[in-house]
């Protein structure tokens, strides 16, 4: 539970710039394809929002409420995924790759 709170605080306190970090940690630990895809998606969104924010920062007359809504939505999605999907099952790559196979003669009896 403490780990979920810490990762959620990292996502919110960094204003979404470090939202990819918890997904990187899980992708390295578990090594599953879906974890790497989630990492890639959140890293891509972080880069896009950082560039978007940098481009709109030069023009203070043009406020960008859409950027704020996107950031809040992406941060909310990251926090929900952290709480619901990311740290719930301690799985390893071998669990996903190798199905449960019977050993020895147990399967014949």
């Amino acid at each position: 539970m403490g780990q979920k709170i810490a990762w959620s605080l990292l996502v919110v306190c960094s204003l979404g710039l470090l939202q990819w970090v918890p997904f990187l940690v899980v992708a390295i630990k578990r090594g599953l394809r879906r974890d790497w895809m989630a990492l890639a998606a959140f890293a891509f969104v972080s880069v896009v929002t950082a560039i978007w924010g940098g481009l709109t920062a030069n023009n203070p007359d043009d406020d960008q409420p859409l950027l704020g809504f996107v950031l809040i939505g992406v941060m909310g999605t990251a926090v929900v995924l952290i709480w619901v999907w990311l740290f719930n099952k301690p799985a390893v790559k071998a669990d996903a790759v190798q199905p449960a196979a019977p050993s020895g003669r147990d399967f014949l009896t």
Side-chain angles (χ1 to χ4, degrees), residues 31-48:
L32 299 176
R33 180 181 295 203
R34 65 183 175 138
D35 295 331
W36 288 104
M37 290 176 69
L39 167 65
F42 279 104
F44 176 75
V45 169
S46 294
V47 169
V48 167

Side-chain angles (χ1 to χ4, degrees), residues 2-44:
Q3 187 178 19
K4 291 180 183 183
I5 293 171
W7 288 122
S8 299
L9 284 175
L10 175 75
V11 168
V12 174
C13 291
S14 70
L15 297 177
L17 291 177
L18 297 177
Q19 63 194 354
W20 53 271
V21 174
F23 298 95
L24 174 66
V25 170
V26 170
I28 290 173
K29 283 184 179 179
R30 292 196 296 204
L32 299 176
R33 180 181 295 203
R34 65 183 175 138
D35 295 331
W36 288 104
M37 290 176 69
L39 167 65
F42 279 104
F44 176 75

Side-chain angles (χ1 to χ4, degrees), residues 64-74:
Q64 291 289 333
L66 183 60
L67 176 61
F69 289 131
V70 168
L71 281 173
I72 291 171
V74 171

Side-chain angles (χ1 to χ4, degrees), residues 20 24 54 57 59 72 77 86 89 94:
W20 53 271
L24 174 66
N59 191 1
I72 291 171
T77 303
L86 204 57
K89 294 183 251 179

